[in-house]
Amino acid sequence: MSLTKPATLSDVALMAGVSESAVSRTFTPGASVAPATRARVVQAAASLGYRPNAIARTLTTRRSRIIGVVVSYLQNQFYPVVIEKLSQTLQRHGYHVLLFVSDGHETGATVDDQLMDVMQYQVDGLVLASVTLSSAIAKGCRAAGVPVVLFNRTAPIEGVHSVASDNHAGGCLAAQALIQAGCKRIAYLAGLEDASTQIEREQGFKDTLHEAGIEVFARAVGHYSYERACAATRDLFSRATIPDGIFAANDHMALAVMDTLRNELGLQVPQNISVVGFDNVPQSAWLAYGLTTIEQDAQAMVTSTVEVLMQAIEADSTTAIFEARKVVAPVRLISRSTVAG
Amino acid sequence: MSLTKPATLSDVALMAGVSESAVSRTFTPGASVAPATRARVVQAAASLGYRPNAIARTLTTRRSRIIGVVVSYLQNQFYPVVIEKLSQTLQRHGYHVLLFVSDGHETGATVDDQLMDVMQYQVDGLVLASVTLSSAIAKGCRAAGVPVVLFNRTAPIEGVHSVASDNHAGGCLAAQALIQAGCKRIAYLAGLEDASTQIEREQGFKDTLHEAGIEVFARAVGHYSYERACAATRDLFSRATIPDGIFAANDHMALAVMDTLRNELGLQVPQNISVVGFDNVPQSAWLAYGLTTIEQDAQAMVTSTVEVLMQAIEADSTTAIFEARKVVAPVRLISRSTVAG
């Protein structure tokens, strides 16, 4: 199988139906270009796998030893922990992290513009944590031979690796813990509706409840945000009949649930309500919380991510691309003091 | 004033008294080199301002548009907040963050090896947050024309910029708040002893107490760590006479103090003890804490850091180098519910 010739600036201009100057300006930081033109250029460049500066840089070094990491969600302590471990593990392999912080978290926006920006740096690989990837950009990365690993997310996109926890099993464990505690009115606090973590955790939770002949008593959406989880908790617990158990789709929201129950609603955990989270962030172990939670093994996930990247970088790019690896890390229940019994 | 010629691999080998191959191996990720040899090469390279790959890369582009950011302390939520703001602000200027996570926090180790590593990437500037810089490396950066900004730290090193809060004034505000609350036995929980933040905050705190005719009742060291702050709190409050007020040198430790007082020692905040922190991290506003604290304006500090970097990068390097800027950001008291009265 022959490698295709890298796309040039002219190819992009032709496909986008714009001048070469417009393409050049699109990829020059700070340069002016009309939004509509920019959108066409980005789309064309993405589908062609065009990498600005690719020729000049490739002449001097085949590898940049830089891994682009895109995150959108540093408030949740899980991600700083991951960035620290990922950065240190890559450093031991002689690679470094070029960090991109997206603000698309709340909107669920894709990060296409940002990824084109990442590609200018001739990265050897990409890790996308907590962001959504479009098929067009994934295709561009494939064309450019840049391996992509989705971290803590999965997506049905050809050629894209993923490393995520067994979220479905985690949802099952959370349901079992609440059932065993004797909870009868079990609520679910959802994260971002379109996130794979949210969908899989909820499915596992509902499946296990269903097997026990229990339906979800109430459902609210906290969007993985502290403030929105506080608001959702007020809503859930202002009704005539309130839940006696709740599974929050991550710890960041579970801490908000506990704070709101105790400090605003005068309810006790676990005497009045049992609470289970997901992640096992450092604060879950803090004395103020002692949160019972489903642990994601951040170190194992990071180790797998780096392994997948290194194998993909070392391998012949034409074979590696179509053998996307889907790593599923095991989870476990960490029992602390927020579940009754 | 003429620009000096960039140092070559041969220059470094000559100065270090080693072979050129040893120098090459020192700067090849994963290559083997004896620790003693490596140390001599790093020292020689640092003092000469040698940048591996400098020639090949400089031929293709004068600027990398990459800013190296070194941090060592992501557990404290202040730093994830800073990284997010810094990354987004630099992105708006067409620059990106190459992130280096040091593990030298607890030991206070310098990050010389890591900085040499950063320099290989031909960064246009360096931001060092919560890490210690050696004079030798600072000299190397000057020789290489790479501006360095210390973030949330100050150091008496020639040619190095710094952006920090008015920590002395913050210490004064903390003392005033505890004095006004009527506290009589006022304790201080120190951070890392050699950090400029720790030294300046404590000095301001003691100066204001002293003016009011009060001496510090007790002092313990929490090293800016949650766990060590918990241990220090147990120690301080296991004595016959306990403090009725405490200033913790950052919020991360103040939250540990509150958790330990309430959950282990059965003491109430602020009924039994008033607590003041420093930073105003997001958790300080959480319902479980409502911590009264001295706010560092992270956005203002980040904006200043980027301004200083951009000016230094744009300016003629020979003039900019010797006009190091020392930016001091104002602080203010955020009154919540952990101080009596």
Side-chain angles (χ1 to χ4, degrees):
Chain A
M1 186 172 181
S2 71
L3 286 166
T4 54
K5 213 172 118 225
T8 66
L9 189 137
S10 309
D11 298 338
V12 176
L14 194 67
M15 187 179 202
V18 302
S19 67
E20 293 193 10
S21 160
V23 177
S24 175
R25 288 200 311 279
T26 297
F27 296 113
T28 302
S32 166
V33 58
T37 305
R38 180 179 170 75
R40 276 156 67 190
V41 171
V42 167
Q43 193 170 15
S47 65
L48 290 170
Y50 172 67
R51 301 179 78 175
N53 297 330
I55 296 161
R57 294 198 187 209
T58 307
L59 283 174
T60 63
T61 169
R62 284 187 310 127
R63 294 212 182 124
S64 66
R65 294 202 162 260
I66 291 178
I67 304 296
V69 175
V70 185
V71 292
S72 69
Y73 192 32
L74 293 180
Q75 287 274 318
N76 174 359
Q77 192 68 25
F78 182 66
Y79 289 105
V81 167
V82 164
I83 288 171
E84 182 164 344
K85 290 181 190 301
L86 187 57
S87 174
Q88 290 176 339
T89 306
L90 284 170
Q91 278 166 220
R92 284 195 289 274
H93 284 79
Y95 283 78
H96 287 287
V97 167
L98 193 66
L99 185 72
F100 295 77
V101 181
S102 152
D103 49 13
H105 168 58
E106 287 286 332
T107 61
T110 58
V111 288
D112 287 12
D113 271 22
Q114 216 153 14
L115 286 178
M116 284 312 298
D117 200 7
V118 179
M119 297 290 274
Q120 287 193 65
Y121 286 91
Q122 196 78 353
V123 295
D124 291 339
L126 265 180
V127 177
L128 307 184
S130 72
V131 296
T132 308
L133 176 74
S134 76
S135 299
I137 285 287
K139 198 177 159 195
C141 292
R142 265 206 311 285
V146 174
V148 177
V149 181
L150 296 182
F151 186 95
N152 203 28
R153 289 288 186 279
T154 57
I157 300 179
E158 190 186 16
V160 171
H161 308 281
S162 67
V163 175
S165 286
D166 191 341
N167 289 301
H168 187 277
C172 295
L173 288 173
Q176 282 165 16
L178 293 171
I179 293 169
Q180 281 169 19
C183 296
K184 302 293 176 200
R185 299 180 304 280
I186 301 179
Y188 178 70
L189 181 56
L192 282 172
E193 292 282 16
D194 63 351
S196 59
T197 46
Q198 148 55 32
I199 294 165
E200 295 163 11
R201 289 168 196 176
E202 181 167 21
Q203 194 59 52
F205 184 66
K206 284 167 73 174
D207 287 350
T208 295
L209 288 186
H210 190 73
E211 282 164 24
I214 303 172
E215 294 306 315
V216 173
F217 174 75
R219 181 186 196 273
V221 186
H223 301 267
Y224 289 144
S225 140
Y226 180 89
E227 289 75 16
R228 295 178 81 162
C230 288
T233 306
R234 278 177 214 119
D235 179 42
L236 278 178
F237 289 85
S238 63
R239 302 171 190 179
T241 314
I242 63 169
D244 60 1
I246 185 166
F247 170 40
N250 75 0
D251 285 357
H252 194 60
M253 295 197 298
L255 303 178
V257 169
M258 289 180 69
D259 283 357
T260 307
L261 291 176
R262 289 166 167 179
N263 297 283
E264 282 193 12
L265 303 173
L267 292 166
Q268 291 192 293
V269 177
Q271 293 86 340
N272 303 119
I273 301 111
S274 292
V275 180
V276 178
F278 205 112
D279 277 346
N280 196 28
V281 296
Q283 288 101 331
S284 302
W286 284 9
L287 300 168
Y289 296 107
L291 177 66
T292 293
T293 187
I294 311 301
E295 180 187 61
Q296 298 210 77
D297 188 339
Q299 185 60 60
M301 293 170 74
V302 163
T303 302
S304 291
T305 300
V306 174
E307 274 174 16
V308 169
L309 278 173
M310 294 302 119
Q311 283 176 10
I313 291 168
E314 300 298 329
D316 179 278
S317 58
T318 55
T319 60
I321 280 165
F322 295 103
E323 291 170 14
R325 288 184 56 189
K326 309 287 177 189
V327 177
V328 179
V331 295
R332 62 179 180 136
L333 177 75
I334 304 289
S335 287
R336 294 199 182 94
S337 56
T338 56
V339 171
Chain B
M1 186 173 182
S2 72
L3 286 167
T4 54
K5 212 171 120 226
T8 66
L9 189 137
S10 309
D11 298 336
V12 176
L14 195 67
M15 188 180 201
V18 301
S19 67
E20 293 193 11
S21 159
V23 177
S24 176
R25 288 200 311 279
T26 297
F27 296 114
T28 302
S32 167
V33 59
T37 305
R38 180 179 171 75
R40 276 156 67 191
V41 171
V42 167
Q43 193 169 16
S47 65
L48 290 169
Y50 172 68
R51 301 180 78 177
N53 298 330
I55 295 161
R57 294 199 187 208
T58 306
L59 282 174
T60 64
T61 169
R62 283 188 311 126
R63 294 212 184 125
S64 66
R65 293 202 163 261
I66 291 177
I67 304 296
V69 175
V70 186
V71 293
S72 70
Y73 192 32
L74 293 180
Q75 288 273 319
N76 174 358
Q77 192 68 25
F78 182 67
Y79 289 104
V81 167
V82 164
I83 288 170
E84 182 164 344
K85 290 181 190 300
L86 187 58
S87 174
Q88 290 176 340
T89 307
L90 285 170
Q91 277 166 221
R92 284 195 289 274
H93 284 80
Y95 282 78
H96 287 287
V97 167
L98 193 67
L99 184 72
F100 295 77
V101 181
S102 153
D103 50 11
H105 168 59
E106 287 287 331
T107 61
T110 58
V111 288
D112 288 12
D113 271 20
Q114 215 152 17
L115 286 178
M116 284 312 298
D117 200 7
V118 179
M119 297 291 273
Q120 287 193 65
Y121 285 91
Q122 195 79 352
V123 296
D124 291 338
L126 265 181
V127 177
L128 307 185
S130 71
V131 296
T132 308
L133 176 73
S134 75
S135 299
I137 285 287
K139 197 177 160 195
C141 293
R142 265 207 311 286
V146 174
V148 177
V149 181
L150 296 182
F151 186 95
N152 203 29
R153 289 287 186 280
T154 56
I157 300 178
E158 190 186 16
V160 171
H161 308 281
S162 67
V163 175
S165 286
D166 191 340
N167 289 302
H168 188 278
C172 295
L173 288 174
Q176 282 164 17
L178 293 171
I179 293 168
Q180 280 169 20
C183 296
K184 302 292 176 201
R185 300 180 304 281
I186 301 178
Y188 179 70
L189 182 56
L192 281 172
E193 292 282 17
D194 63 351
S196 59
T197 46
Q198 148 55 32
I199 294 164
E200 295 163 11
R201 289 167 196 177
E202 181 167 20
Q203 193 60 52
F205 184 65
K206 284 167 73 174
D207 286 352
T208 295
L209 287 186
H210 190 72
E211 282 164 24
I214 302 172
E215 294 305 317
V216 173
F217 173 74
R219 181 186 196 274
V221 186
H223 302 267
Y224 289 144
S225 140
Y226 180 89
E227 289 74 18
R228 295 178 81 162
C230 287
T233 306
R234 279 178 214 118
D235 179 42
L236 278 177
F237 288 86
S238 63
R239 302 172 190 178
T241 314
I242 63 169
D244 60 2
I246 184 165
F247 170 40
N250 75 1
D251 284 358
H252 194 60
M253 295 196 299
L255 302 179
V257 169
M258 289 179 70
D259 283 356
T260 307
L261 292 175
R262 289 167 166 179
N263 297 284
E264 282 193 12
L265 304 172
L267 292 166
Q268 290 192 292
V269 177
Q271 293 86 341
N272 303 120
I273 301 111
S274 292
V275 179
V276 178
F278 204 111
D279 278 344
N280 197 28
V281 297
Q283 288 102 329
S284 302
W286 284 9
L287 299 168
Y289 296 107
L291 178 66
T292 293
T293 187
I294 311 302
E295 180 187 60
Q296 298 210 77
D297 189 339
Q299 185 60 61
M301 292 170 75
V302 163
T303 301
S304 292
T305 300
V306 174
E307 274 174 17
V308 169
L309 278 173
M310 294 302 119
Q311 283 176 11
I313 291 168
E314 300 298 329
D316 180 278
S317 58
T318 54
T319 60
I321 280 164
F322 295 103
E323 290 170 15
R325 289 185 56 190
K326 308 286 178 191
V327 177
V328 178
V331 295
R332 62 179 181 136
L333 177 74
I334 305 289
S335 286
R336 294 199 183 95
S337 55
T338 56
V339 171

